[in-house]
Amino acid sequence: PELIEFDVAKTRTIAVPRLASPQNVNTPAGSTDALALQIAEVMAANLEASGVFQAIGPSGVKTPTLAQVTAPEFDYWRGKNANQLIQGFIRVDNDGKLLIGCYLYDVGFGSEQSSAGFRVDPADWRRAAHKCSDAIYGKLTGEMPFFDSRIAYIAETGPKGRRVKRLAVMDSDGANHRFLTNGQTTALTPRWSPDYSKILYLSYSDGNPRIYIYDVNTGAQKLVTESRNPTFAPRWS
């Protein structure tokens, strides 16, 4: 018999048009028109990278009006062969924070499946995009979402024998990368606190191991303990 191979890695086509931006307002992170596109691009990239979805948009598809966000043109999206549809909006509240809403629809049934909204500082627009992605991924797969997560790691540079090891963090998709230490002392074994606001790590200075807690939000660092025993490893209690 003939062997037929099926690609089942991506089972659902999900449309992710640009968010509706009823008023174009400038923010410290850019205009809401620009952020409406960037947020949709991040969500589409997240869902595509999961291996579960084939994302279409935001380029090449219609941008919904604010009224259409909650009343989609399902016939249009059926013509795009979309199984699911994400539509949303972005606006600036009186206090300067962004309000970002996202809605998930089943195109075939023409019905809403879930919705979520987030108020964030303009600088945190990418995190709101990750949170929307998490809500959608969790709803459609029943699995634990992971887009709104950060990675703490040791970045190594320099020639062999003189490696510089710096504490660094980045988003799960590689964005917002930054170094937290300057490499003057070796950093090792980073561990997040349970609320992901601080990092516990081991540092060697003059051959002595020291444990520090680094506050990611404020940049403050505190020495917890030091020892002449090089065999212990830090952990959160």
Side-chain angles (χ1 to χ4, degrees), residues 16 19 35-47 86 98 100 102 118 120 124-137 147-148 171 173:
V16 192
L19 274 63
L35 293 175
L37 175 61
Q38 291 173 297
I39 291 169
E41 288 175 337
V42 169
M43 289 194 292
N46 282 344
L47 296 167
I86 303 169
L98 298 179
I100 297 168
C102 50
F118 305 96
V120 298
D124 291 331
W125 67 267
R126 182 178 287 272
R127 186 171 186 196
H130 290 322
K131 284 182 173 293
C132 285
S133 302
D134 277 346
I136 291 157
Y137 181 86
F147 302 114
D148 183 34
D171 291 351
D173 60 357

Side-chain angles (χ1 to χ4, degrees), residues 31-198:
S31 70
T32 52
D33 275 0
L35 293 175
L37 175 61
Q38 291 173 297
I39 291 169
E41 288 175 337
V42 169
M43 289 194 292
N46 282 344
L47 296 167
E48 181 86 23
S50 73
V52 178
F53 303 98
Q54 176 69 52
I56 57 174
S59 63
V61 298
K62 291 171 60 174
T63 299
T65 65
L66 183 61
Q68 290 169 344
V69 168
T70 54
E73 295 182 321
F74 287 114
D75 286 342
Y76 172 81
W77 298 109
R78 292 184 187 109
K80 295 292 183 181
N81 296 317
N83 303 119
Q84 266 81 33
L85 166 67
I86 303 169
Q87 294 193 146
F89 67 86
I90 178 173
R91 75 167 190 240
V92 179
D93 278 350
N94 292 333
D95 60 1
K97 288 184 178 291
L98 298 179
L99 178 59
I100 297 168
C102 50
Y103 297 77
L104 173 66
Y105 297 96
D106 185 297
V107 176
F109 287 104
S111 60
E112 180 183 320
Q113 292 182 276
S114 67
S115 63
F118 305 96
R119 290 183 75 253
V120 298
D121 291 327
D124 291 331
W125 67 267
R126 182 178 287 272
R127 186 171 186 196
H130 290 322
K131 284 182 173 293
C132 285
S133 302
D134 277 346
I136 291 157
Y137 181 86
K139 175 66 177 181
L140 292 178
T141 67
E143 298 177 0
M144 183 70 70
F146 55 88
F147 302 114
D148 183 34
S149 60
R150 305 179 77 185
I151 299 169
Y153 72 104
I154 302 303
E156 296 190 33
T157 57
K160 184 178 180 180
R162 289 188 300 164
R163 303 290 285 172
V164 176
K165 298 181 179 182
R166 291 186 285 180
L167 179 64
V169 295
M170 63 180 176
D171 291 351
S172 62
D173 60 357
N176 292 327
H177 176 273
R178 61 188 174 114
F179 295 109
L180 303 183
T181 59
N182 58 20
Q184 293 181 353
T185 59
T186 296
L188 297 169
T189 61
R191 300 289 187 272
W192 284 106
S193 64
D195 63 358
Y196 286 87
S197 66
K198 299 176 179 64

